[in-house]
Amino acid sequence: MRKKLAAGNWKMNGLKASLTEIAALAKACPAPNCDILICPPATLLAGMADACSGTPIKVGGQDCHAAASGAHTGDISASMLADAGASAVILGHSERRADHGETSADVAVKVVSVWDAGLTAIICIGETLEDRDAGRTLDVVGEQLSSSVPEGVTAENTVIAYEPVWAIGTGRTATTAQIAEVHDFIRGKLETRFGKVTGNGIRILYGGSVNPKNAVEIFSTSNVDGGLVGGASLRAADFAMIVNAAD
Ligand code: PGA
């Protein structure tokens, strides 16, 4: 059985004062049956890791450079994120793909650097509204999946996040039928490529306007192993309800 994962992506939000949300979240979810991860901006990572110690909450990065160190002004490596207390890194988020022109090939190289640092890669894929309207959803998702995920995957070192771009930050969630169709498709692709055991063990998260009201329904959808949550992860009161929905 795959353990569910409730992952929060704070994006470019949060100052030191926001770290108080961690104690509130830990209090609201004292003995969760799911894994909990918060990915704050890099400036808060070490402080958040401290705040999470003694709680079931883990912290992660939102991106990293593919190299372990070197002359790359402004960038952060996976080993630096690990050193600051991260256990996972989000890679290939649609905002990285759109804002920074990241390709699936770029993402695949970063995934290896995340594994080399001993961390879990959370690899994001998802179609645009234009893709969906043109009936290309499964083609696009399948292509991103095969080219963003390198060889070497295990059920522990990799999580896939399906995030339809049109559902991110829009308040417009995919229907459970749409989610099930894509998650079942991703599961099939993972099993075909990596074998039944590994392919069946990799967690597939849904992301895109998950909130306390829709989380239970989404998390009980076929092949949904939790959520990658943006806006609703910023406040402990909201995220705790989402964590409890994954429990
Ligand atoms: P959202 O973001 O929950 O605010 O839609 C999800 C994400 O981008 O991971």
Side-chain angles (χ1 to χ4, degrees), residues 7 9 11 90 93-95 124 163 167-171 207-211 228-233:
N9 173 10
K11 309 191 179 185
I90 298 170
H93 190 283
S94 63
E95 287 152 15
C124 302
E163 301 202 299
I168 295 177
T170 57
S209 298
V210 175
N211 62 45
L228 181 55
V229 184
S233 71

Side-chain angles (χ1 to χ4, degrees), residues 94-170:
S94 63
E95 287 152 15
R96 299 286 320 168
R97 292 178 189 261
D99 295 354
H100 300 272
E102 280 187 15
T103 65
S104 293
D106 297 331
V107 174
V109 178
K110 292 182 180 198
V111 170
V112 174
S113 79
V114 164
W115 293 343
D116 286 347
L119 305 180
T120 298
I122 301 175
I123 305 170
C124 302
I125 54 178
E127 83 286 0
T128 62
L129 191 56
E130 198 190 349
D131 294 328
R132 180 161 282 276
D133 288 346
R136 288 195 302 257
T137 297
L138 297 184
D139 290 342
V140 169
V141 167
E143 209 292 309
Q144 288 183 346
L145 185 70
S146 58
S147 25
S148 304
V149 181
E151 295 302 318
V153 163
T154 69
E156 290 74 40
N157 72 12
T158 300
V159 172
I160 305 296
Y162 167 57
E163 301 202 299
V165 177
W166 48 272
I168 295 177
T170 57

Side-chain angles (χ1 to χ4, degrees), residues 4-6 33-35 215-216 219 225-227 241-247:
K4 283 200 167 42
L5 167 62
N33 288 316
C34 64
D35 291 330
V216 170
F219 293 168
D225 304 308
M241 285 191 264
I242 293 170
V243 168
N244 289 329
D247 240 353

